[in-house]
Amino acid sequence: MKGFMTYFFEQHKRLVLGYSVVLLVAMIFAVSLKTTTVPVAVTILYISIFASLATVASLNSDREIDQLLSLPGGRRGLVRAQYLNAVFAIGSSILAATIVTALTYVFTGGKAHLPSFLVVSYVISVAMTVVAIMQPLSMVFGKKGLLIGFAALMFIGFQTAVRFLLTNGGIFIFKLLKDYLVGHEIQGISVVISENMNMPDLFSVPSVLITAGTAITLFVSSYIISRLVFSRKNFRVNKL
Amino acid sequence: MALLCMEHASVRYDRFSLDVSLTVEEGMITGLIGRNGSGKTTTFKTIVDVVRSGGKIEIFGKDARRLTEDERSQIAISYTDIFFNGEYTVPAIRRVLRSAYKNFNEAEYDRMMKRFDIPQRGKIRNLSTGELAKLRFISAMTHDAKFVILDEPTSGLDVVARDGILDEIRSYMENHEDAAILVSSNITQDLEGLADDVYMIDEGRIVLHENTDTITDDFGLVKCTEEQFEKLDKEYVRGSKKAPYGRDVLVSQKRYYLENYPALAVEDGKLDHCLIVLAGKEEEKT
């Protein structure tokens, strides 16, 4: 188990460090030019970080997996380590999203079109989370795992879209009703709506919590399923 | 004492099935020979549970699937073309091995890295074929494992490096008297000078199991025409294969044929002969 963790740490270490340096240099460069295209540059970098992490998460070739399965701990160790690997990937994606968002906001003096940027960040975070979950799933279920992963992706994507529409649609409706409602009394209660109401921040604490909750639910349920599967005798799917 | 005992370890794929029974005794080097695709690597993978199999596999007298992590760390395996990710650096492999194996012997690792002239830095993918083969071998031989599995450790190596590898295998057994090594090789000469016991696998089945000395001392290859083959006493015939001049006949008592058939050419037994005769194409065998 310890060997697996060292292996995965080695796997992520270089990428996280490498991209952090690239990110920092790009940010400094963008700020020194006082350009307002920082969000665009950062978004591209951000995508590249997660694309790379996603690649790494699915990097293990069949041969490499055979080598890893041969380490002490065997398949159980590998699958457990892959789950921890997924947690690491999810954690790093959330951390990177937070850092990039904060830096972008600070460096652009609040001029960045934050909601659009956050939508991109949010979607990438979700995609990354799903990719991270798909890896151990595919380890356990083979092709079935990938299908489950894609189903999860569709579920989260659908949920995101619905939530986005609902929240924005809700505000749109509120804004429409605002002029009518404010100042009126409904059954004796005065309606007061804040004038500062803006589009909701998709990277707000509740939003992140919901995403994280969904991810954790998927993660835990897939782990439980894999444990149940492991307890079955003569289980054979693909390599495992 | 048997460190490994396989009884009908079986795996079934669409175009290949494996059904192997073999034993590896403590203090011995056991060879596994066979053609490409005969099932050598699959056999190794079933032993370490990389490929799930039916039948019985016991290591250290215990079900191979129920070994603890400590017991698993007593098993070392080096594959022909399977290794860690090519993007990893050489020092990273050392760190992984150090954390994976509680008995990882750093001094021994350093000594072998130096002996085989492996670069201490750089990515694995930048190593040459020979360097990679040697690094795989070193990775398996440096944690004082009780049971070592080597899948074609000399494949892709020059004569000097091959000699070095064989030398290391012998000294490992001298220094680890209670250990056992299961080794496969396409270069049968390597095994003749190394293995105490040899199994031959063909199409997923063990077709021969003999003591290596028995093969080299007692076995022989009789070269004869079809007519001579018809008249040949078949008591010690283990198999035969068509040849341009008639037949190559593998016999388990070459002296018998030397004495009783002086007109026939009888060559000393070699693993190559066994492989060519017993693992040849079905239509050419008898």
Side-chain angles (χ1 to χ4, degrees):
Chain A
M1 187 68 188
K2 208 176 149 198
F4 288 116
M5 290 322 297
T6 307
Y7 190 79
F8 291 120
F9 174 72
E10 294 286 344
Q11 196 173 42
H12 286 294
K13 188 180 71 180
R14 287 170 305 115
L15 271 163
V16 172
L17 284 175
Y19 274 101
S20 299
V21 171
V22 172
L23 184 68
L24 199 63
V25 170
M27 295 285 273
I28 292 166
F29 183 67
V31 170
S32 66
L33 289 176
K34 293 184 178 166
T35 173
T36 53
T37 57
V38 171
V40 179
V42 171
T43 304
I44 293 166
L45 279 167
Y46 190 38
I47 291 168
S48 67
I49 291 170
F50 289 112
S52 302
L53 278 173
T55 310
V56 164
S58 57
L59 198 64
N60 302 331
S61 65
D62 277 3
R63 289 178 176 186
E64 189 187 358
I65 287 171
D66 284 348
Q67 178 70 51
L68 292 173
L69 284 170
S70 305
L71 287 175
R75 68 188 61 217
R76 276 176 189 273
L78 179 58
V79 173
R80 281 177 192 168
Q82 285 281 53
Y83 275 110
L84 289 173
N85 189 33
V87 172
F88 183 90
I90 293 164
S92 63
S93 76
I94 291 169
L95 186 67
T98 310
I99 292 168
V100 170
T101 305
L103 287 174
T104 309
Y105 197 76
V106 169
F107 285 153
T108 57
K111 284 178 189 168
H113 187 226
L114 220 51
S116 312
F117 176 67
L118 288 172
V119 169
V120 176
S121 306
Y122 181 79
V123 170
I124 295 168
S125 277
V126 170
M128 182 56 215
T129 304
V130 172
V131 168
I133 291 169
M134 277 165 67
Q135 174 68 3
L137 276 174
S138 65
M139 290 290 303
V140 179
F141 297 107
K143 285 175 187 167
K144 286 178 190 170
L146 290 177
L147 287 175
I148 293 168
F150 279 121
L153 181 63
M154 287 176 72
F155 168 73
I156 293 180
F158 179 72
Q159 190 216 32
T160 307
V162 167
R163 280 184 56 234
F164 190 77
L165 288 172
L166 282 178
T167 48
N168 286 291
I171 285 166
F172 180 66
I173 292 163
F174 256 95
K175 279 184 174 171
L176 278 180
L177 294 174
K178 189 173 68 176
D179 294 338
Y180 173 75
L181 292 172
V182 172
H184 287 73
E185 281 191 2
I186 299 172
Q187 292 182 342
I189 301 167
S190 291
V191 177
V192 179
I193 295 176
S194 168
E195 287 295 327
N196 297 325
M197 178 177 277
N198 287 316
M199 198 172 122
D201 183 350
L202 286 176
F203 219 77
S204 63
V205 172
S207 187
V208 169
L209 284 177
I210 289 168
T211 312
T214 310
I216 290 165
T217 308
L218 275 168
F219 171 65
V220 172
S221 56
S222 63
Y223 184 76
I224 291 167
I225 291 167
S226 72
R227 289 304 299 265
L228 288 173
V229 168
F230 272 121
S231 66
R232 283 172 54 192
K233 283 184 179 176
N234 301 322
F235 173 70
R236 275 180 250 167
V237 174
N238 282 7
K239 298 193 67 58
L240 297 177
Chain B
M1 180 195 161
L3 289 191
L4 169 72
C5 181
M6 298 174 83
E7 282 179 23
H8 295 290
S10 55
V11 177
R12 188 172 291 278
Y13 295 127
D14 291 341
R15 293 168 56 197
F16 175 80
S17 68
L18 183 86
D19 188 342
V20 168
S21 299
L22 65 85
T23 305
V24 175
E25 296 288 339
E26 185 180 292
M28 286 176 72
I29 298 177
T30 303
L32 183 65
I33 58 170
R35 294 184 295 169
N36 292 334
S38 57
K40 299 188 293 289
T41 304
T42 308
T43 302
F44 293 156
K45 285 182 181 177
T46 61
I47 295 170
V48 288
D49 200 28
V50 167
V51 170
R52 276 276 156 97
S53 67
K56 190 177 99 174
I57 303 177
E58 284 186 353
I59 302 175
F60 312 137
K62 196 174 168 183
D63 185 346
R65 289 183 206 163
R66 305 213 176 277
L67 294 179
T68 63
E69 207 168 314
D70 277 355
E71 287 164 335
R72 278 292 294 256
S73 73
Q74 289 291 312
I75 304 169
I77 183 160
S78 144
Y79 296 101
T80 325
D81 55 358
I82 295 170
F83 200 50
F84 298 113
N85 197 307
E87 291 298 314
Y88 278 57
T89 60
V90 176
I93 296 304
R94 170 200 275 265
R95 287 194 287 274
V96 171
L97 293 172
R98 189 169 48 205
S99 61
Y101 295 99
K102 64 173 187 176
N103 293 333
F104 180 61
N105 189 333
E106 296 212 40
E108 183 66 356
Y109 186 86
D110 288 338
R111 183 191 68 77
M112 289 177 78
M113 290 290 277
K114 204 171 173 184
R115 173 176 185 178
F116 290 113
D117 207 17
I118 310 290
Q120 297 282 349
R121 293 184 177 278
K123 290 183 177 179
I124 294 174
R125 68 177 162 86
N126 293 331
L127 298 178
S128 69
T129 310
E131 287 170 337
L132 194 55
K134 288 183 273 189
L135 182 59
R136 282 195 293 259
F137 175 75
I138 294 169
S139 301
M141 300 296 278
T142 48
H143 43 94
D144 293 332
K146 205 172 172 189
F147 179 34
V148 181
I149 301 167
L150 301 171
D151 190 6
E152 295 180 27
T154 53
S155 175
L157 295 179
D158 59 61
V159 182
V160 177
R162 246 176 70 198
D163 189 54
I165 295 279
L166 298 177
D167 188 38
E168 287 292 343
I169 294 174
R170 285 189 200 97
S171 45
Y172 189 88
M173 288 307 289
E174 282 167 19
N175 298 327
H176 301 77
E177 288 177 356
D178 60 344
I181 295 179
L182 175 61
V183 56
S184 76
S185 181
N186 277 330
I187 307 163
T188 49
Q189 286 166 310
D190 290 349
L191 292 184
E192 279 168 10
L194 192 72
D196 304 292
D197 206 24
V198 172
Y199 285 87
M200 184 190 295
I201 185 169
D202 190 45
E203 294 177 348
R205 307 287 186 277
I206 298 294
V207 292
L208 177 79
H209 172 215
E210 283 293 346
N211 187 290
T212 315
D213 290 341
T214 305
I215 291 172
T216 51
D217 296 346
D218 299 340
F219 274 48
L221 191 74
V222 179
K223 293 176 176 290
C224 57
T225 62
E226 290 290 350
E227 292 78 38
Q228 288 169 325
F229 179 68
E230 288 300 317
K231 292 173 188 168
L232 201 69
D233 184 345
K234 306 289 193 304
E235 190 179 349
Y236 300 109
V237 171
R238 299 295 290 263
S240 72
K241 188 177 180 289
K242 281 181 184 170
Y245 42 81
R247 277 199 176 267
D248 282 334
V249 186
L250 183 73
V251 296
S252 56
Q253 288 294 336
K254 67 182 172 198
R255 282 174 203 86
Y256 176 81
Y257 294 92
L258 281 168
E259 287 164 11
N260 295 291
Y261 300 89
L264 295 180
V266 181
E267 288 183 4
D268 286 340
K270 288 179 184 171
L271 286 175
D272 269 349
H273 296 150
C274 301
L275 202 57
I276 291 165
V277 173
L278 297 177
K281 286 182 181 172
E282 198 57 42
E283 64 269 21
E284 294 171 349
K285 289 192 284 186
T286 55

